[in-house]
Amino acid sequence: MTTTPPTAPVTSRPAPDRPAPDRIAAAGTVLARAIQRVTASALGPYQSAVIRIGFAATYLFFLVRELPHRHELYGPDSPWHWDLARQLTAGNEAFSVLLWSDSVLWFEVVYALTVLSAAGLLLGWRTRTMSVLFMVGVLSVQNRSVFMGDGGDNVIHLMAIYLVLTRCAQVWSLDARRAARDTERGALGLPPRRDAVGPVLWAVLGPVLLGATLMGGLGGTWWFPVLLWILWLSAAAWWAANRFAPGGQPRALLDVLANLAHNATLLVIMVEVCLIYATAGWYKIQGSRWQDGTALYYPLKLDYFAPWPALSDVLASSGLMVMVLTYATVIVQVAFPFTLFNRRLKNVLLVIMIGEHAGIAVLLGLPFFSMAMIAADAVFLPTVFLVWLGGRAALGRRRLLGWLPRRSRSPEAGGPREVPTARSAPEERDGTGEAPPHGTGGGHTLVG
């Protein structure tokens, strides 16, 4: 008689986890919305406008202030002679149009064009062209005498390059007002105004770029001439798309590419600001004077950094205040990158850092360094605050213009008859006379 051995009970193994179809669909939806957001609109329009205005104003005021000393700083009378600058740039492959010629006339022309480009970028007039000219001017002036700058000049140097790739004139610019007028004319069935300035600028700058490329005057790096040629050719592509296919696929493709470049550059600016504060904070931690809380005392006692000696002496005489400010500086700089995803804490640290830079401008006599850093901090300012600030500025402008005498514009008095315009609903206005850009809806982001 045979017996069969008992069989082990069969246990069913759990099937490997597989994402449910609804999870796949949800993930696809999130990814599609993210792609839609970064391609359909240029994010942070108010933040990028503040960065444009801030850095353009900083360098414009610097150039105007140093106007009497321009020859000694960057011109023919500079201790860093033209030949020395040529030798240095030949080694580090830097770019400067001031090294094309050592004549005084050429220096004056470049300096004047840099001032005008900074003013044009500040006002947002032909912003794409002005941003390129501003970048060329900043690099030319700074690379001519590299030992004249400080940390603020380094930030301006980088931001001048970044601004070229941003759509920083969506609001608070003359370009935005011109675009709004063309939109209103389109709503009334009228053709947009004919643009003659843009093609003229493009036609003038093209031969200059070609001559500089052929003569090898664009530095020793490969990316700089490539960037300039891409920008010049893209300007022609934009003009052709707007002229012959304003609502077609070429224009849509150019919009997507411009939005991608803008959003990527805005992210780079944010990372750059975080790196500046993180590296500054961690390097301070390693210093013995920052560790014992006395680091702030020493610059307050230097005559070079004491535009208000009495105020510096009062602050330096308080050991407790010096220690608190020293430790607070380190804590804020180290902690700031870790607070970006907490809106309230981020805004509190922004106020502290802006106040710190304002104090540096007053106590240490470094106004342009402080202006540059405040302009860089503006990339993290909340959109609601910037819209409110723009509304206050627009209200002040209207009140100022209201006090000025104006001629009667009524038809009975001989003035032109008013043309009705297509306006947005009142709730769609931001208080600045400009409609909010598309894609600036609510929700917390790193830029507010």
Side-chain angles (χ1 to χ4, degrees):
M1 179 175 164
T2 61
T3 59
T4 58
T7 58
V10 179
T11 58
S12 60
R13 295 182 179 178
D17 293 336
R18 294 181 179 178
D22 55 345
R23 293 184 181 179
I24 297 178
T29 302
V30 172
L31 180 60
R33 288 179 178 175
I35 295 175
Q36 170 86 15
R37 184 166 178 80
V38 299
T39 58
S41 62
L43 303 177
Y46 295 96
Q47 287 80 6
S48 57
V50 173
I51 293 174
R52 167 182 58 83
I53 294 171
F55 281 101
T58 300
Y59 210 63
L60 174 63
F61 295 157
F62 171 77
L63 293 176
V64 172
R65 191 195 72 168
E66 300 298 345
L67 196 62
H69 315 291
R70 63 190 185 279
H71 286 193
E72 291 78 11
L73 290 176
Y74 304 105
D77 300 331
S78 173
W80 188 248
H81 197 262
W82 188 82
D83 293 332
L84 295 175
R86 288 277 294 183
Q87 296 176 24
L88 181 61
T89 55
N92 61 14
E93 300 181 338
F95 162 78
S96 176
V97 298
L98 287 175
L99 299 179
W100 292 358
S101 173
D102 59 349
S103 70
V104 177
L105 178 60
W106 177 244
F107 169 78
E108 297 290 357
V109 169
V110 173
Y111 198 93
L113 288 178
T114 305
V115 171
L116 293 177
S117 65
L121 186 63
L122 173 65
L123 298 175
W125 181 79
R126 306 290 168 178
T127 309
R128 183 64 62 202
T129 303
M130 291 299 109
S131 65
V132 175
L133 295 178
F134 179 73
M135 175 187 67
V136 170
V138 169
L139 297 183
S140 299
V141 172
Q142 291 187 353
N143 290 337
R144 167 61 179 85
S145 299
V146 294
F147 301 108
M148 297 296 179
D150 54 21
D153 292 286
N154 294 334
V155 177
I156 295 175
H157 190 104
L158 294 173
M159 294 298 174
I161 300 174
Y162 297 153
L163 281 173
V164 171
L165 301 174
T166 62
R167 308 185 78 172
C168 55
Q170 299 177 92
V171 296
W172 300 341
S173 67
L174 297 179
D175 289 346
R177 292 192 176 278
R178 185 174 66 250
R181 293 191 185 101
D182 288 341
T183 301
E184 292 178 349
R185 289 175 61 88
L188 295 173
L190 300 175
R193 290 185 176 90
R194 193 173 184 86
D195 181 20
V197 178
V200 169
L201 289 174
W202 183 84
V204 170
L205 294 177
V208 175
L209 180 58
L210 179 61
T213 304
L214 296 178
M215 293 187 301
L218 297 180
T221 59
W222 63 268
W223 64 267
F224 189 70
V226 170
L227 174 63
L228 293 179
W229 277 108
I230 289 176
L231 292 171
W232 187 75
L233 294 174
S234 65
W238 274 100
W239 179 86
N242 289 328
R243 179 69 181 274
F244 302 108
Q249 294 298 323
R251 171 57 193 271
L253 176 61
L254 291 174
D255 265 324
V256 169
L257 295 177
N259 291 335
L260 283 173
H262 169 93
N263 295 329
T265 306
L266 196 64
L267 178 62
V268 171
I269 292 175
M270 295 161 62
V271 173
E272 188 78 39
V273 175
C274 291
L275 287 175
I276 290 173
Y277 284 117
T279 53
W282 286 107
Y283 271 113
K284 286 182 175 66
I285 288 178
Q286 302 175 36
S288 59
R289 295 293 177 262
W290 291 96
Q291 293 175 6
D292 60 26
T294 61
L296 186 62
Y297 174 83
Y298 298 98
L300 292 174
K301 287 299 183 178
L302 295 176
D303 294 338
Y304 184 77
F305 293 109
W308 312 99
L311 184 60
S312 299
D313 290 341
V314 169
L315 183 59
S317 63
S318 174
L320 178 61
M321 184 62 67
V322 169
M323 183 184 66
V324 169
L325 291 178
T326 300
Y327 286 150
T329 300
V330 177
I331 293 172
V332 169
Q333 291 182 351
V334 173
F336 177 72
F338 301 100
T339 64
L340 294 182
F341 294 96
N342 187 308
R343 178 172 53 183
R344 294 182 179 179
L345 191 55
K346 176 203 71 173
N347 293 339
V348 170
L349 289 187
L350 272 178
V351 173
I352 295 175
M353 288 192 303
I354 292 175
E356 173 190 339
H357 291 307
I360 290 174
V362 175
L363 290 174
L364 303 183
L366 298 173
F368 300 110
F369 167 79
S370 299
M371 288 180 64
M373 292 309 303
I374 291 174
D377 294 340
V379 71
F380 295 108
L381 287 175
T383 302
V384 174
F385 169 74
L386 294 177
V387 172
W388 174 85
L389 189 65
R392 297 301 93 190
L395 180 61
R397 182 192 61 191
R398 287 196 296 268
R399 289 179 176 177
L400 178 63
L401 294 178
W403 294 338
L404 300 177
R406 294 182 298 176
R407 294 180 300 175
S408 175
R409 308 295 290 175
S410 62
E412 292 80 2
R417 189 174 299 274
E418 196 172 297
V419 178
T421 58
R423 295 188 176 273
S424 304
E427 63 272 14
E428 294 179 354
R429 292 282 169 170
D430 60 9
T432 63
E434 297 166 344
H438 178 69
T440 56
H444 171 52
T445 64
L446 292 181
V447 293

